[in-house]
Amino acid sequence: MADYRTIKAEVLTSVVRAIVKAGGSSDREAELVSANLVEANLRGHDSHGVGMIPRYVQSVTNGGLAVNQHVKIVLDTGPLLTLDGLTGYGQVIGHEAMELAAERAKSNGVCLVGLSNAHHIGRIGHWAEQCIDHGLVSIHFVNVISRPIVAPWGGSDARHGTNPFCVGIPRRGKEPIVLDFATSRIAQGKTRVAHNKGVELEPGTIIDNEGKPTVNPRYTVIPPYGAILPFGEHKGSGLALVCEILGGALSGGQVVKGPSDGKYNVLNGMLSIIIDPGKLGTGENLAREVESFVAWHTGSPPGPGVDKVKIAGEPERETKKKRLAEGIPVDPTTWQEILEAGQKFGLDQAAIEKIVG
């Protein structure tokens, strides 16, 4: 097991902000990217956190990620938005897309937005939470244009990405419901984290390059590649198929058509449906009925080894509270990769260590 260094959230944010700025990004872009990545770490999703910075730096270097881009409106009818991310930082493109969509939803009651060609948009729950802050319900279907990493149910090699699905539901005066998961057994980044830590994966999570079961995460990180299995067998695989088509094709973007080009770029497409419960005329009903069901749902007697029944989003909030107090654990391999990424942008190790203090 790797040793860790624990870094306070605000310090880690400063490190990431400095690296992104060194890559040519504006202050605003560096702020959005760093805040988004550290928030993923705070919520326990290290796969979508600061460990992505080395991949971002590589993508900027090879031209797959364009700095200082803003979302381009391709079509705007009010309730319908088609947007192009122009391969810009997904943290900026996603934020701008959801602000536009929230504005349209509050005016029209609903907004269906197709977003294509955004560089890695990170933890999808972040965008659901942004809509929740506006009092809106949102549903998100996402695809991934990169090296295929997930096998279809019954298949023996990788054919698509982790293709997340997410739903956000606000609650009055209480913490919201945020359902956010990859359609694979495990997020791709979690296999990278496991590899960096030197730990095995749970049995039944991945297959090797010959399609055989394995617990060694290297088969999703370094060649020869295997594949992550879909969650829920044929059900998860079916949802991944839908996310690929809705998030990739209906959004106006691309779908996976073959093997990777060998570059480390990650593009996302996302189809989002944003709903204003008040405009739908069901706001009061939603507020009342949500609480009725949450009480019934969480009132189930806990099973063996479980302290209480939780709602979607609750474990992440508990982790955030703990990590805000104690700091964010970063394993040595990930930290070294972050230092090397900074060096590629001309920010030497001494400069980064000075920020950490």
Side-chain angles (χ1 to χ4, degrees):
M1 179 71 72
D3 293 321
Y4 288 86
R5 63 188 303 166
T6 302
I7 305 174
K8 287 290 188 179
E10 60 269 21
V11 175
L12 199 53
T13 302
S14 296
V15 169
V16 175
R17 187 192 302 120
I19 293 173
V20 175
K21 277 192 68 174
S25 290
S26 67
D27 288 347
R28 173 65 170 160
E29 181 159 278
E31 184 61 43
L32 285 172
V33 173
S34 59
N36 176 286
L37 293 179
V38 172
E39 183 68 17
N41 286 110
L42 282 172
R43 291 182 181 266
H45 293 284
D46 296 330
S47 58
H48 291 67
V50 298
M52 289 301 301
I53 277 295
R55 291 198 70 173
Y56 290 0
V57 170
Q58 182 68 37
S59 292
V60 170
T61 303
N62 68 26
L65 167 53
V67 302
N68 299 320
Q69 294 296 313
H70 297 282
V71 72
K72 176 185 177 183
I73 298 176
V74 177
L75 178 143
D76 181 1
T77 69
L80 295 171
L81 272 175
T82 307
L83 307 172
D84 191 326
L86 303 175
T87 72
Y89 268 109
Q91 288 77 9
V92 175
I93 301 301
H95 177 81
E96 293 178 351
M98 290 303 101
E99 284 302 295
L100 285 170
E103 180 185 317
R104 303 302 188 277
K106 286 190 276 191
S107 296
N108 302 288
V110 66
C111 181
L112 190 148
V113 55
L115 172 64
S116 64
N117 300 319
H119 196 267
H120 186 247
I121 56 178
R123 184 178 67 93
I124 309 306
H126 193 95
W127 312 122
E129 289 157 5
Q130 185 176 339
C131 293
I132 284 166
D133 287 343
H134 287 283
L136 305 171
V137 172
S138 64
I139 306 165
H140 310 265
F141 302 87
V142 184
N143 88 317
V144 187
I145 300 295
S146 187
R147 173 174 62 84
I149 189 64
V150 182
W153 175 245
S156 60
D157 68 354
R159 294 285 157 155
H160 57 76
T162 53
N163 293 12
F165 173 74
C166 179
V167 179
I169 304 171
R171 295 167 66 199
R172 288 185 184 173
K174 296 187 178 181
E175 297 287 5
I177 295 166
V178 181
L179 176 70
D180 176 21
F181 57 78
T183 49
S184 51
R185 283 290 304 271
I186 187 174
Q188 181 180 357
K190 284 184 166 61
T191 67
R192 183 193 73 246
V193 171
H195 182 255
N196 287 350
K197 289 180 182 177
V199 299
E200 293 183 340
L201 298 170
E202 290 291 327
T205 301
I206 64 171
I207 52 177
D208 65 16
N209 59 307
E210 296 179 348
K212 298 174 182 176
T214 181
V215 294
N216 189 344
R218 55 91 57 220
Y219 286 103
T220 64
V221 181
I222 55 176
Y225 295 115
I228 307 172
L229 295 171
F231 93 94
E233 302 177 338
H234 60 286
K235 298 178 182 179
S237 191
L239 183 55
L241 175 72
V242 168
C243 285
E244 186 71 34
I245 294 167
L246 297 184
L250 187 57
S251 70
Q254 312 167 58
V255 296
V256 176
K257 301 181 182 71
S260 167
D261 59 7
K263 297 180 179 179
Y264 288 98
N265 303 326
V266 184
L267 291 179
N268 286 128
M270 180 167 68
L271 185 80
S272 302
I273 305 164
I274 295 97
I275 303 162
D276 184 337
K279 288 281 188 179
L280 189 62
T282 62
E284 293 299 328
N285 189 71
L286 174 68
R288 181 179 63 252
E289 295 298 315
V290 163
E291 298 315 315
S292 294
F293 184 70
V294 167
W296 173 247
H297 176 84
T298 57
S300 178
V306 176
D307 58 343
K308 65 173 182 175
V309 176
K310 301 176 182 180
I311 61 169
E314 192 171 354
E316 288 83 354
R317 289 188 288 270
E318 292 174 350
T319 301
K320 180 176 180 178
K321 183 178 180 181
K322 185 174 189 291
R323 289 188 169 186
L324 277 174
E326 301 176 1
I328 295 168
V330 181
D331 68 85
T333 301
T334 298
W335 183 246
Q336 186 59 37
E337 288 176 351
I338 290 171
L339 292 176
E340 292 170 1
Q343 289 172 350
K344 288 180 181 177
F345 278 171
L347 198 66
D348 64 22
Q349 181 172 339
I352 293 176
E353 293 288 1
K354 185 177 180 181
I355 295 172
V356 176

